């Protein structure tokens, strides 16, 4: 399949060390799907790093163009995300994706794909695991354990809040795993999910709800 071949080819280009510019703005990216039809909503929310306040947000309504195939989500989700990126005026220096980076069967999840496409530092931050095995990290905030697949560390399982379920952090592009985890902790001062993901998630859900309501 062409998409799988493309993933394998592009995966060779992922940079797994820190190549970051000074970070002033960080973006969250999320996509939600309508249960009723083939509509999907993509959102980018840009936050000011110091305050974690939203400085800009863009929402795109689009139609699904690629079938539902596990491991190939980026081909479904990138087209509307690209449309959203074309509209933002505030350039982020770091992007957090609600999904995987290297923690993917072919080491090329959405965060890697987006990072390579724009040559921008990206982090994969998933609510659930796609690949690998792990030992539950300790219960304190900041506790982490490696996510391992075929004897390879593909991400970290990170507890962002005490006694709350951990999240799955992996390299997207131009960042190391240790730095990615530091950033996710910094972006998650109060809640399980980083503010980037939380704000983008709320925006796509709200937009999708309005969309479904207007259609009903």
């Amino acid at each position: 399949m062409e998409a799988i071949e493309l993933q394998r080819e592009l995966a060779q280009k992922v940079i797994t060390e820190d190549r970051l510019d000074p970070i002033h703005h960080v973006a969250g990216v999320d996509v939600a799907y309508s249960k009723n039809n083939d509509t999907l909503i993509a959102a980018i929310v840009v936050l000011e790093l110091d305050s974690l306040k939203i400085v800009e947000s863009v929402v795109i309504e689009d139609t699904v163009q690629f079938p539902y195939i596990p491991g190939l989500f980026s081909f479904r989700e990138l087209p509307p995300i690209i449309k959203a990126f074309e509209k933002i005026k505030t350039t982020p220096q770091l992007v957090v994706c609600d999904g995987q980076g290297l923690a993917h069967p072919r080491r090329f999840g959405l965060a890697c794909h987006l990072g390579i496409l724009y040559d921008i530092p990206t982090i994969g931050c998933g609510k659930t695991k796609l690949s690998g095995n792990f030992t539950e990290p300790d219960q304190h905030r900041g506790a982490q354990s490696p996510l391992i697949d075929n004897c390879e560390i593909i991400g970290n399982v990170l507890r962002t809040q005490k006694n709350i379920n951990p999240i799955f952090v992996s390299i997207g592009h131009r960042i190391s795993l240790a730095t990615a985890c530091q950033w996710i902790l910094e972006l998650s001062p109060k809640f399980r999910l980083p503010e980037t993901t939380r704000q983008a998630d709320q925006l796509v859900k709200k937009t999708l709800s309005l969309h479904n309501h207007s259609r009903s």
Side-chain angles (χ1 to χ4, degrees), residues 81-97:
I81 289 171
I82 289 167
K83 289 177 185 174
F85 260 96
E86 284 169 357
K87 295 196 168 190
I88 60 170
K89 297 178 179 66
T90 312
T91 304
Q93 290 79 41
L94 177 67
V95 179
V96 179
C97 293

Side-chain angles (χ1 to χ4, degrees), residues 1 7-8 22 60 79 119 123 132 136 150 163-164 172 177-178 200 207:
M1 190 175 184
Q7 281 185 328
R8 289 193 172 121
I60 294 289
D119 190 27
I123 300 172
E136 192 76 15
N150 290 329
N163 298 329
I164 296 288
L177 184 56
T207 307

Side-chain angles (χ1 to χ4, degrees), residues 8-125:
R8 289 193 172 121
E9 186 185 318
L10 292 176
Q12 307 299 317
K13 300 183 178 181
V14 172
I15 295 168
T16 57
E17 58 190 45
D18 293 329
R19 293 199 191 164
L20 298 149
D21 296 322
I23 295 172
H24 306 291
H25 294 100
V26 57
V29 175
D30 199 8
V31 178
Y33 300 85
S34 170
K35 292 186 176 73
N36 310 326
N37 51 45
D38 58 359
T39 299
L40 77 172
I41 308 289
I44 296 176
V45 176
V46 183
L47 307 183
E48 181 187 59
L49 181 62
D50 292 345
S51 65
L52 294 184
K53 288 194 165 70
I54 297 174
V55 293
E56 189 181 358
S57 61
V58 171
V59 181
I60 294 289
E61 186 178 311
D62 208 350
T63 306
V64 174
Q65 304 289 342
F66 195 88
Y68 174 88
I69 303 173
L72 294 176
F73 286 156
S74 67
F75 292 92
R76 270 167 85 86
E77 300 190 347
L78 266 180
I81 289 171
I82 289 167
K83 289 177 185 174
F85 260 96
E86 284 169 357
K87 295 196 168 190
I88 60 170
K89 297 178 179 66
T90 312
T91 304
Q93 290 79 41
L94 177 67
V95 179
V96 179
C97 293
D98 179 26
Q100 314 300 335
L102 289 185
H104 178 279
R106 285 174 295 281
R107 311 293 182 258
F108 199 72
L110 175 65
C112 298
H113 209 148
L114 190 65
I116 292 285
L117 190 66
Y118 287 100
D119 190 27
I120 191 170
T122 51
I123 300 172
C125 182

